[in-house]
Amino acid sequence: MTLVAGVDSSTQSCKVVIRDLDTGMVVRSGRAPHPAGTELNPEIWWVALEHALVDAGGLDDVAAIAIGGQQHGMVVLDAGGNVVRPALLWNDTRSAGAAADLVREVGAAAFAERTGSVPVASFTITKVRWIADAEPDNALCIAAIALPHDWLTWRLRGFGPGDPVLTQLTTDRSDASGTGYFDPTTGHYDRQLLSLALRADSTAIVLPRILGVHESPGTLADGTVVAPGAGDNASAALGLGAVAGDVVVSIGTSGTVFAVTDLPSRDARGVVAGFADASGRFLPLVATLNAARILDAITGLLGVDHTELGRLALEAPVGSAGAVLQPYFDGERTPNLPDATATLFGLTLESTTRPALARAAIEGMLCGLADGLDAVRAQGVEARRILLIGGAAQNAAVATIAGQVFDMPVEVPSPAEYVALGAAVQAAWTLTGERPAWPVELSARPEFDPRPIIRAQYRARAAR
């Protein structure tokens, strides 16, 4: 049996899955936690990876490995391969002002044209500007800038302070497309934008070499083939077997909507991020701040768990008897309303019931994600199927109502570590030269039963 490994170094933890090359079956797995925070010493990721690999039974019998990782984070290294300062993660918002400054200096339309996206605080380029302004002494020490999965792959291959070959840093176009200084269409870095962010000439700074979709940067000492790795959403798309025409709707604490497409996206409004995927295509993506946390808030209010919330929701009529929850509890990113709050509309004696409120929460959450889908399709993306993932997707009411909110068929894959599974797909692809077509198990295929009244009510209230 030939085995391949996939790693997901996420914000919360490091997960490892080891799959059989022939069938895709998960043979064993392991994990290790990451501490909470918006900045971390990357050594913590390295130690967690070592522990997760041990927990997964090691790599002695593994033929290839790939690392998927959280996008956008900034790892800055000096000439000796040392980390200059703790890595700033995607969720570190101290660079929000830097993002606004850069967009003002370059122009939103120009950013979209040059990089496919208009940067926000999560993007690497904004963190580069922040360090240039807030920590100029540290900025002067920068010899290389990498992303989390780039740095981990480099360390896995044996490089680091003891062997600081910065030119051996590598990445892939999916993760590079989240930096804000890379054009996913041409596959080239935009040094002019990086220099602008750094407030200095960036020519001498090493940036990771962009690898092909199944190009190996090298092997481990025991001959294990190393794959390029990928950003987390792109890796998840591989794990789900997503192809052109598929849209992934992920219901986590926040929400994401992304599609695999042959066409690049350049949204000057900044709603859709024009990322690349890990298969040579593109991955236009919309993020919302409010998703599963909406359900968390309403379960707390009603004093029920998520299962009971779903049971209550299915007791209410479609459209929640006119109750509409605009669920901007934490403000919102799509639409860009950072200071907004949640609002409950349409309360009457008929709609002021526990079932109607439960259903309004689910309908509001899904309508927000459907707005994200509309934004993606407005970029010319052809969408034929939705893959609904995330813990909340396993709630029967969420799946059922999704079949009523979205205007295309919905499938719910079984719960799994899709980023790590996708990294294993890439490892197999790099090992053999062929992308495997491993099956993806479904837990539900809700009835396709479009009910336009749900979104019509939501749009009417949002317009007021």
Side-chain angles (χ1 to χ4, degrees):
M1 179 186 293
T2 301
L3 302 178
V4 293
V7 176
D8 173 15
S9 182
S10 73
T11 312
Q12 295 83 15
S13 62
C14 182
K15 283 86 68 177
V16 175
V17 298
I18 296 177
R19 307 180 75 173
D20 172 44
L21 178 66
D22 293 327
T23 66
M25 179 182 67
V26 176
V27 176
R28 56 184 194 262
S29 63
R31 67 169 54 223
H34 290 156
T38 63
E39 68 170 29
L40 289 176
N41 185 336
E43 279 297 319
I44 292 171
W45 300 330
W46 175 243
V47 171
L49 175 57
E50 290 182 311
H51 288 171
L53 287 171
V54 170
D55 192 40
L59 295 176
D60 289 347
D61 56 350
V62 170
I65 184 171
I67 298 176
Q70 53 183 298
Q71 269 193 286
H72 305 304
M74 181 184 71
V75 182
V76 285
L77 305 175
D78 65 17
N82 302 292
V83 174
V84 173
R85 62 145 6 258
L88 296 181
L89 310 189
W90 65 274
N91 56 353
D92 193 301
T93 59
R94 74 186 76 179
S95 61
D101 289 344
L102 285 166
V103 173
R104 187 164 50 250
E105 293 164 19
V106 176
F111 253 121
E113 181 62 29
R114 293 168 70 169
T115 70
S117 304
V118 179
V120 293
S122 58
F123 283 45
T124 313
I125 192 170
T126 72
K127 302 176 191 308
V128 172
R129 169 57 68 86
W130 179 86
I131 196 173
D133 289 345
E135 299 178 353
D137 290 342
N138 281 336
L140 289 173
C141 296
I142 297 174
I145 303 174
L147 302 171
H149 110 257
D150 311 341
W151 183 84
L152 279 169
T153 301
W154 188 66
R155 288 299 308 273
L156 184 67
R157 293 172 56 215
F159 301 105
D163 190 8
V165 187
L166 299 180
T167 54
Q168 285 295 323
L169 284 163
T170 58
T171 192
D172 82 307
R173 54 192 287 277
S174 76
D175 218 1
S177 67
T179 61
Y181 48 82
F182 175 81
D183 184 346
T185 303
T186 65
H188 296 135
Y189 289 113
D190 191 322
R191 287 279 185 175
Q192 186 180 41
L193 287 176
L194 181 58
S195 296
L196 177 70
L198 193 61
R199 299 192 187 278
D201 183 14
S202 68
T203 305
I205 290 178
V206 174
L207 298 177
R209 180 168 65 90
I210 308 296
L211 298 174
V213 293
H214 55 85
E215 178 185 356
S216 172
T219 62
L220 305 185
D222 62 1
T224 301
V225 172
V226 179
D232 49 5
N233 291 306
S235 191
L238 285 181
L240 289 161
V243 296
D246 287 339
V247 177
V248 178
V249 176
S250 177
I251 309 176
T253 302
S254 56
T256 55
V257 180
F258 55 90
V260 176
T261 176
D262 293 322
L263 300 173
S265 171
R266 302 185 187 279
D267 183 4
R269 301 170 302 160
V271 175
V272 179
F275 297 150
D277 85 335
S279 72
R281 294 180 171 84
F282 298 91
L283 201 79
L285 180 146
V286 168
T288 67
L289 291 180
N290 299 278
R293 68 181 69 194
I294 300 166
L295 307 188
D296 293 339
I298 302 304
T299 55
L301 180 65
L302 296 178
V304 299
D305 61 17
H306 283 258
T307 300
E308 179 65 7
L309 183 81
R311 189 192 67 76
L312 284 171
L314 293 180
E315 289 182 1
V318 172
S320 307
V324 175
L325 178 63
Q326 185 173 276
Y328 301 158
F329 287 96
D330 256 354
E332 189 46 81
R333 175 175 168 179
T334 306
N336 185 24
L337 299 169
D339 298 320
T341 56
T343 306
L344 186 61
F345 299 95
L347 291 185
T348 63
L349 291 176
E350 181 185 4
S351 63
T352 307
T353 66
R354 288 160 59 83
L357 181 56
R359 184 171 182 116
I362 295 174
E363 289 181 345
M365 176 185 72
L366 291 171
C367 283
L369 293 166
D371 284 350
L373 174 59
D374 287 346
V376 167
R377 289 195 291 194
Q379 293 298 302
V381 173
E382 180 183 359
R384 295 187 293 272
R385 175 182 69 153
I386 288 174
L387 296 170
L388 191 67
I389 64 172
Q394 301 304 314
N395 186 301
V398 172
T400 297
I401 296 170
Q404 299 169 344
V405 169
F406 293 109
D407 58 356
M408 69 185 70
V410 174
E411 295 183 355
V412 183
S414 297
E417 298 291 353
Y418 285 107
V419 176
L421 291 174
V425 168
Q426 190 192 65
W429 196 354
T430 302
L431 181 68
T432 67
E434 295 183 6
R435 179 178 176 176
W438 293 330
V440 176
E441 182 180 345
L442 297 180
S443 64
R445 186 180 278 117
E447 179 185 2
F448 179 45
D449 181 27
R451 301 295 187 96
I453 186 175
I454 300 173
R455 294 198 67 196
Q457 287 184 161
Y458 187 83
R459 289 191 186 105
R461 295 301 183 179
R464 294 185 179 183

